[in-house]
Amino acid sequence: AQTVTQSQPEMSVQEAETVTLSCTYDTSESDYYLFWYKQPPSRQMILVIRQEAYKQQNATENRFSVNFQKAAKSFSLKISDSQLGDAAMYFCAYRETMDSNYQLIWGAGTKLIIKP
Amino acid sequence: GAVVSQHPSRVICKSGTSVKIECRSLDFQATTMFWYRQFPKQSLMLMATSNEGSKATYEQGVEKDKFLINHASLTLSTLTVTSAHPEDSSFYICSAPATGGSTEAFFGQGTRLTVV
């Protein structure tokens, strides 16, 4: 069965600095999607960034970028120029491409604290 | 983007009563809806998958008779917590997978249930 591991329960970063959140996963599939979701205090889940496994190029979305290492099954999230609004729980998630139910497998989450 | 509207956002009920949570897909048809439970500072735990017009699929350990799921139309899925007890107090989230080839999932705002 696929698993997603986030080994950092909590991370803190000074405002305007850069922070990297770690995520590893285990799968025997070669085709899949990986996601980072943000859950702010409002608890609304927000998609931050996604990566298709067949793409070698790392995804980027403004201040958010990933380091996708397929062989190592690693999918870290880098947040540059951290802002107070980035404070939230961050969840890494995995989905098989061929899963007709589109079910997501979730990591345990990392709480990100931004220090002003 | 697509919107999933979840109501109520907060509900307090007495032990022994039932509570219904609704999730509506506002601008797309959701043939599948995931229902999650989230404990404080923890990840999303999949409870069940509802499919329009058929019986829901429950995850191991989730009581079917306590958490009744109905997906009677392509735009509405409901979760009814029957004979609620204080241990059912939690945050419940619904999510509809993407359609039309998109990889994104769409989340309701969540419902905080408190059973007193």
Side-chain angles (χ1 to χ4, degrees):
Chain A
Q2 293 83 4
T3 58
V4 177
T5 301
Q6 292 179 251
S7 58
Q8 306 155 316
E10 186 174 296
M11 292 283 285
S12 62
V13 64
Q14 206 72 35
E15 191 177 4
E17 296 193 343
T18 296
V19 65
T20 298
L21 308 184
S22 301
C23 173
T24 59
Y25 58 95
D26 189 25
T27 184
S28 58
E29 301 293 328
S30 60
D31 204 9
Y32 48 86
Y33 298 102
L34 295 164
F35 306 87
W36 279 98
Y37 279 91
K38 169 185 178 181
Q39 188 179 39
S42 68
R43 303 196 76 171
Q44 173 73 57
M45 297 293 287
I46 301 167
L47 177 64
V48 175
I49 199 165
R50 63 173 152 248
Q51 174 82 41
E52 290 90 338
Y54 68 86
K55 290 186 178 179
Q56 292 187 334
Q57 187 173 7
N58 290 325
T60 62
E61 289 287 343
N62 302 312
R63 298 183 295 108
F64 299 87
S65 61
V66 298
N67 184 2
F68 173 48
Q69 301 289 326
K70 191 172 184 178
K73 296 180 182 175
S74 170
F75 182 62
S76 61
L77 173 70
K78 185 171 83 170
I79 306 174
S80 304
D81 185 24
S82 298
Q83 300 175 0
L84 294 177
D86 295 334
M89 284 290 293
Y90 286 81
F91 294 98
C92 179
Y94 162 100
R95 176 171 82 75
E96 281 184 29
T97 303
M98 298 306 293
D99 181 355
S100 59
N101 267 341
Y102 298 87
Q103 182 174 332
L104 290 166
I105 309 299
W106 297 90
T110 297
K111 181 179 181 179
L112 179 62
I113 298 169
I114 310 296
K115 299 176 182 178
Chain B
V3 175
V4 174
S5 179
Q6 182 174 348
H7 292 280
S9 58
R10 289 175 180 267
V11 59
I12 300 173
C13 71
K14 293 184 177 180
S15 289
T17 62
S18 296
V19 173
K20 180 184 285 188
I21 302 170
E22 291 188 349
C23 270
R24 295 182 182 273
S25 54
L26 297 186
D27 51 1
F28 68 103
Q29 294 182 329
T31 55
T32 299
M33 192 74 77
F34 297 113
W35 286 94
Y36 295 96
R37 182 172 181 174
Q38 187 179 29
F39 293 101
K41 300 183 181 180
Q42 293 191 24
S43 189
L44 281 68
M45 181 185 75
L46 181 65
M47 298 174 64
T49 303
S50 73
N51 292 289
E52 187 268 335
S54 62
K55 290 184 178 180
T57 302
Y58 290 81
E59 297 298 303
Q60 193 171 10
V62 177
E63 297 177 61
K64 300 179 183 181
D65 294 335
K66 169 169 266 308
F67 300 100
L68 298 179
I69 290 175
N70 185 277
H71 197 147
S73 77
L74 289 171
T75 59
L76 175 64
S77 178
T78 61
L79 166 67
T80 301
V81 183
T82 63
S83 187
H85 290 282
E87 56 265 32
D88 298 325
S89 299
S90 193
F91 192 71
Y92 295 88
I93 305 174
C94 63
S95 173
T99 60
S102 170
T103 58
E104 187 171 357
F106 304 103
F107 293 84
Q109 303 93 321
T111 297
R112 180 179 298 282
L113 170 63
T114 303
V115 184
V116 298

